[in-house]
Amino acid sequence: MRHSRGFRAGTRQTLRKKPRQRGMFSLSKIMYQYKVGEKIIIDIEPSVHKGMPHPRFNGKIGEIIGRQGRAYVVQIRDGNKIKRLIVRSEHLRPLQGFR
């Protein structure tokens, strides 16, 4: 049988939590309201599968360009291309020092 190359293939280390951080995350991650133009870091929360960006974008810095339902539209640079991702707020973190 061929090796599966699904969405989360090869992410054993990147999509795991440290033992003391397991379980429910703080609700402030969901409640935080991002503004258009705000810089963010894509920080994937492994316990929430909804609205999760592809693991290759974990740790990338992007900019909020809009809302789409409960999620945010994030614009990042991937090499020379500009890509738009639809990411829920659990997987985002504000970038300190930029406004």
Side-chain angles (χ1 to χ4, degrees):
M1 185 183 281
R2 288 187 58 198
H3 177 56
S4 172
R5 280 290 169 197
F7 188 78
R8 295 176 67 160
T11 61
R12 181 177 296 225
Q13 294 300 316
T14 55
L15 294 183
R16 76 180 267 275
K17 289 185 169 187
K18 303 280 191 299
R20 288 178 190 264
Q21 295 171 345
R22 293 203 178 143
M24 188 66 177
F25 52 89
S26 66
L27 292 178
S28 62
K29 281 189 112 173
I30 300 173
M31 303 298 287
Y32 189 87
Q33 295 291 316
Y34 295 98
K35 298 170 188 66
V36 173
E38 190 172 347
K39 297 278 189 180
I40 52 94
I41 298 174
I42 297 175
D43 182 26
I44 294 178
E45 174 63 41
S47 62
V48 179
H49 300 159
K50 259 193 166 174
M52 180 187 285
H54 196 278
R56 83 162 73 86
F57 302 120
N58 195 27
K60 296 268 187 192
I61 296 174
E63 183 180 342
I64 302 288
I65 58 170
R67 283 289 300 251
Q68 187 166 327
R70 294 182 180 174
Y72 290 94
V73 181
V74 178
Q75 182 171 309
I76 64 164
R77 286 189 68 85
D78 191 24
N80 289 330
K81 278 191 177 174
I82 293 176
K83 295 191 175 178
R84 301 172 104 185
L85 308 174
I86 300 168
V87 185
R88 284 178 63 144
S89 62
E90 296 94 315
H91 308 292
L92 300 176
R93 186 162 46 102
L95 182 64
Q96 301 300 326
F98 283 85
R99 277 269 150 115

